[in-house]
Each structure stands twice: as C-alpha cells, then as structure tokens.
Amino acid sequence: MMEEKVSNNKEQNLDSIKIRIMPPGPEAKKIIDSDSEFLVTSTKSLPLVAKRGRGSFVEDADGNVFLDFASGISVTNLGHIHPYVTAKVEEQIHKLWHFAGTDFYYKEQVDAARSIESITPGTFKKKVFFSNSGAESNEAAIKIAKIFTKKQQFISFIGGFHGRTQGALSMTASKAIQQKGFFPTMPGVHHVPYPNPFRNAFGIDGYEHPDELVNRTLDFIEKYVLKTYAPPENVAAFLVEPIQGEGGYIVPPKNFHKDLRKLADENNILVIMDEVQSGMGRTGKYFASEHFGVEPEVITIAKAVASGIPMGAVVINSRLDFPESGLHSNTFGGNVLASVAATATIETMKKEKILDNVVNQGIYFKKRLLELKDKYSSIGDVRGIGLMVAIDFVKDQKTREPDVKLRDKVEYKAFENGLITLSTGTSAVRLIPPLNIKQSEIDMGIDALDKAIKQSL
Ligand SMILES: Cc1ncc(COP(=O)(O)O)c(C=O)c1O
C-alpha cells in the first residue's frame, strides 16, 4: 500500500473508533437543524455529520471517529482522500478544471476513457460516454438502445434500482415510495421477477435449487411477457443489475446472466448491465458481471469510478455508437478533474492490487459474519461477493419473514457504537467498507456490529 503522510498533527489520528459523546452531539445537532431548514427532504438515514475522513475512518462534527462501512454508498472505495488520487487532482486543479468534454477535446478525458476501457470485460472494441451519475448513465444507455435497435420498450426487474430521473425511474422497482406520485414516467417499461434465491415470487429456495429458479424466471419472461404483451419486436433492451444493490444485495444463481443474455440474443434484444453499485472492484473483479461469465455490450458505471468526484460512464461495444452527432450530449460529462481522478483511481487499483485485497478480506469478512449468524438466530442470511456483503434479519429462520424493526435498530445501535452502515432491501444491512480495508478494521467492525445486535435484541 502507498505511504500516507499525516500533514497536520493538531488533528487527531483517524485510525480507530472513538466515541467521545453520544452521536449526534451538540455540533452535529446544529448542522442537522440547519440542513432541515435549507435542504429539501430526501433520503437521510443516520444523523451522522461528517467533517473529515481518512482511509476507513470519518470524524464527525463533535470529534467522534467512526469506522466507515458505507463508503458514501460504495463511492470512496479507496478510502477517504486516498493520497495518490488527491495528489493527482491537486496537481490538475492548478491547470484546468472544466472544458466541456462533449464539445471540445482534452487528453485527460481520453486517458480516463482508455483506463476504464482497460478494466471493462469484453475483447471487442469499446467506446465510452461520460455522465455525472448513475441515473444519467442509465439515461444514456436507454437512448443508445433506442437508437441502435429502433425499438422503444424495455424490461427491467422487480427489486432493481437504476436511479430517480424519469427514464431511469421508470425501470426502478426496489421500493414503492420511489414511484409514489410520479406516474407517468417513461412508458413501455415492463417489470419481471429477479431470481432472488432467498425470497422470490416462485416460492423456491434458490440456494438449494438455483437452476429451477433461473428456469422459472426466464420461462416467465419468455412465455408470459415476450409472448403476451411485450413482443421482442418492441423490446430494445433488458436493464439489469448483476447483483441487485438497493434491492438487498441479491446475488442471483450463477447461470442467470448467461441464460438471460442467450434469451436476449435470440430475440434481438440488448442487455444493459447496471454496474453502478457492483462495479469498480467491489466484488473482487472489476465488474460483477465477470463472476457470471458474461461480457455485456452496455455497462453503466458511476459511484466509485472517480473516488467521489461526481462521474458516471456508459461503456458500449463500439458497434452501438450513436450514428450521428447531436443525438446525445451534456455539459459536465468527462469533466477534467473527474477524468484525472478516474485515471488515478484505476491506476491505484492496479498498483495496489486492490482486487486481491477484496478477495482475501471478502473471504475473511464472510467468515466472521457467518460466525455472527451462528450466534444470532435473527440473522437469516449472509450474502454477497467480495466486499459487497449484507446480513438479512428475520423473525423466523424457516419462514424468512423480514424483521425490519430489528434491522433498523441494529443499524442505529451500530452507529452509536461507531460503525457506519446502510440498510438495503427490506430487512438487510449492507456492509461496504473501502476495498483496501485491513483485517484488523474488519474485526473492529464485527465487534461493533456484534455489540449492536446484542443491544437490539
Ligand atoms: C445499481 C444502481 N444504479 C443506478 C443508481 C443511481 O445512481 P445515482 O444515485 O448516482 O444517480 C444507483 C444508486 O444507488 C444504483 O445502485
């Protein structure tokens, strides 16, 4: 790992959990009050007021230090202010910030595209469109699919999350509140069940019967969707996550993506793979789709690609490129600072062998979480790949009935014990530390989580 220089020794070291005052403390409360006054109501979860971050730790407004197993929703994957990425952005900040990368040219944008291309699966020639967020990447992918196929309808999956702009929202189906009051969104979107092995519409235990779950899912799409109300001649693309993120960290059976792609190819339908949350090394491969043996022709990316400077990207097989200038563009896509951050992020991932750490620490993390599952019968499932993991709380191991209240309590107690987590799906807590996490930090997190569960029961 690269050496980090601590520049200001007046600041406390951010290397372990230190809860000095029960959060939110007085300074945090003041900021939370002003936030409520000046900012629109959104999706706030924990009353955490972040002030300074370093590596896997964050200091709040009252000097408490938290271990960060949320990573800004899987964005700060190299930890907070990684020294190399910081140095590169700092260097660039004195040269050029912005120059409208869709309308003009600069090397930094090409370098970023080349870096991203070098880590995306597929041996075919690829091209990149830069956006500023996950939703905007999906919007671009939708337009690419419409123009290329000359078709207008889409199929996405129940439990999927693709963003909150009108097109991306039309595909999103992980919580009813996301759609509440916004109809009509983009027309022509059909939702089908996702092969969730733990809880699914078919009542199958997908861990025990993965092939049956995949067959039932694809049969449903073929026989009850494509043959009844969404003929393939109308459907431009499937939009799917390789592992559902906001839907609860749902890992589908191994064959699902290959079989879905086969069905899509047979029907002249594209597959857009949404890797906004699962991509950029989170699962121990650069992209989660690699675990399933598929090479998507369209991959949407955002979150961790530039370590926290806003950036999104769509990587396509170059055969799908827009046929003429003017069909799609934006102002900030490929912004110079974001491009430099993206190149530096990918360079760091390669140099520091981040994927090896994700694989090794992922195995260790899973083992420690399974120990907790043995200890607490209210943990019904431990799932995920690499460092994209979640634990699901149930009222009953057999029925797998979600225990939402317990999950919420555990998340809050963990926060009070100095561990930042995020809920996901109906009753799961996701655990997404930085990808360069150390084993000792995982142990620290497990201790805080263990204590939180004990306090919540
Ligand atoms: C899989 C997936 N797609 C798209 C998005 C939307 O990204 P953004 O919030 O950057 O618009 C998210 C955000 O959580 C996501 O997890």
Side-chain angles (χ1 to χ4, degrees):
M1 300 277 165
M2 287 178 188
E3 280 293 297
E4 175 186 0
K5 261 194 223 154
V6 179
S7 54
N8 184 347
N9 46 22
K10 268 188 249 152
E11 293 171 336
Q12 64 173 330
N13 282 340
L14 301 188
D15 53 10
S16 69
I17 293 173
K18 286 175 212 122
I19 298 299
R20 300 169 190 283
I21 183 164
M22 182 59 86
E27 287 306 311
K29 277 186 186 143
K30 275 190 224 158
I31 294 165
I32 291 168
D33 286 348
S34 332
D35 183 293
S36 311
E37 189 182 348
F38 290 106
L39 287 154
V40 158
T41 306
S42 189
T43 52
K44 293 271 200 289
S45 56
L46 295 169
L48 175 77
V49 178
K51 195 169 102 190
R52 195 167 67 92
R54 177 77 44 111
S56 308
F57 295 89
V58 174
E59 183 184 320
D60 81 352
D62 296 284
N64 292 314
V65 182
F66 295 82
L67 178 59
D68 188 359
F69 277 15
S71 301
I73 331 181
S74 194
V75 170
T76 50
N77 278 7
L78 297 176
H80 292 281
I81 54 166
H82 186 284
Y84 181 72
V85 182
T86 307
K88 285 299 202 184
V89 172
E90 212 166 27
E91 199 182 300
Q92 183 60 40
I93 224 160
H94 300 287
K95 293 184 195 161
L96 185 72
W97 289 20
H98 173 81
F99 210 73
T102 47
D103 287 32
F104 298 99
Y105 301 86
Y106 44 89
K107 183 174 177 297
E108 289 77 9
Q109 182 173 221
V110 183
D111 288 346
R114 192 175 275 147
S115 298
I116 291 170
E117 196 271 348
S118 76
I119 59 166
T120 43
T123 45
F124 41 82
K125 169 90 187 90
K126 288 165 241 162
K127 284 193 162 188
V128 178
F129 173 79
F130 282 116
S131 71
N132 306 283
S133 68
E136 201 194 325
S137 294
N138 284 323
E139 295 291 342
I142 290 167
K143 290 174 82 174
I144 287 165
K146 281 187 176 178
I147 294 294
F148 180 80
T149 64
K150 301 188 173 59
K151 300 193 265 183
Q152 290 78 33
Q153 296 191 9
F154 290 82
I155 295 176
S156 65
F157 290 80
I158 294 168
F161 187 91
H162 304 289
R164 292 172 184 267
T165 49
Q166 294 283 304
L169 177 63
S170 68
M171 316 270 187
T172 285
S174 69
K175 283 194 184 81
I177 185 80
Q178 294 151 354
Q179 297 282 352
K180 196 172 161 183
F182 296 119
F183 189 78
T185 50
M186 189 178 86
V189 177
H190 310 286
H191 287 99
V192 296
Y194 192 78
N196 176 342
F198 190 60
R199 295 185 190 103
N200 55 67
F202 305 111
I204 297 169
D205 185 329
Y207 293 130
E208 282 182 24
H209 308 287
D211 293 343
E212 192 188 339
L213 180 58
V214 171
N215 292 342
R216 290 283 292 275
T217 305
L218 295 175
D219 257 24
F220 181 89
I221 297 172
E222 201 173 2
K223 292 191 184 130
Y224 300 103
V225 179
L226 298 178
K227 288 217 166 81
T228 55
Y229 58 92
E233 292 77 9
N234 287 2
V235 179
F238 288 98
L239 177 56
V240 65
E241 289 160 273
I243 297 172
Q244 283 190 334
E246 300 305 305
Y249 279 33
I250 309 299
V251 184
K254 190 96 188 150
N255 289 337
F256 170 59
H257 289 291
K258 242 193 237 162
D259 292 358
L260 177 68
R261 176 65 183 272
K262 191 163 165 271
L263 178 69
D265 286 350
E266 284 164 4
N267 288 285
N268 242 332
I269 298 172
L270 294 173
V271 176
I272 301 167
M273 194 64 83
D274 182 339
E275 293 256 20
V276 166
Q277 187 151 172
S278 57
M280 297 308 300
R282 178 55 58 197
T283 63
K285 294 195 186 282
Y286 281 110
F287 291 92
S289 40
E290 295 172 71
H291 293 284
F292 300 92
V294 285
E295 291 183 348
E297 286 197 288
V298 186
I299 298 184
T300 54
I301 306 172
K303 291 198 188 278
V305 64
S307 286
I309 297 199
M311 173 175 253
V314 189
V315 184
I316 56 168
N317 185 327
S318 62
R319 80 183 182 102
L320 309 177
D321 192 4
F322 286 114
E324 57 186 305
S325 171
L327 283 169
H328 194 54
S329 186
N330 59 15
T331 298
F332 285 121
N335 167 273
V336 192
L337 296 179
S339 289
V340 166
T343 304
T345 298
I346 294 167
E347 227 179 290
T348 303
M349 292 188 74
K350 290 179 180 175
K351 258 195 250 169
E352 295 190 1
K353 299 195 180 354
I354 294 289
L355 296 184
D356 291 350
N357 194 60
V358 177
V359 172
N360 295 332
Q361 298 306 333
I363 291 169
Y364 181 73
F365 201 7
K366 213 45 169 314
K367 179 177 136 299
R368 295 292 329 261
L369 291 170
L370 287 168
E371 284 166 17
L372 287 185
K373 182 172 182 285
D374 284 344
K375 194 165 161 188
Y376 299 108
S377 62
S378 30
I379 300 180
D381 198 20
V382 171
R383 57 181 177 248
I385 305 182
L387 290 172
M388 184 175 187
V389 290
I391 53 176
D392 200 312
F393 290 92
V394 293
K395 291 187 176 159
D396 181 290
Q397 287 274 351
K398 256 205 189 126
T399 61
R400 299 178 177 179
E401 192 189 335
D403 197 336
V404 184
K405 266 199 193 139
L406 178 60
R407 186 274 310 273
D408 291 349
K409 211 164 164 191
V410 170
E411 189 190 358
Y412 201 87
K413 285 283 169 201
F415 160 66
E416 289 182 341
N417 292 326
L419 176 69
I420 310 167
T421 64
L422 279 165
S423 61
T424 182
T426 317
S427 52
V429 170
R430 74 186 109 175
L431 303 156
I432 39 176
L435 306 185
N436 47 11
I437 187 96
K438 298 183 195 122
Q439 189 167 308
S440 57
E441 294 167 344
I442 289 181
D443 287 333
M444 205 184 292
I446 291 282
D447 287 349
L449 190 61
D450 190 351
K451 199 166 148 199
I453 298 171
K454 216 177 289 163
Q455 290 167 339
S456 305
L457 288 170

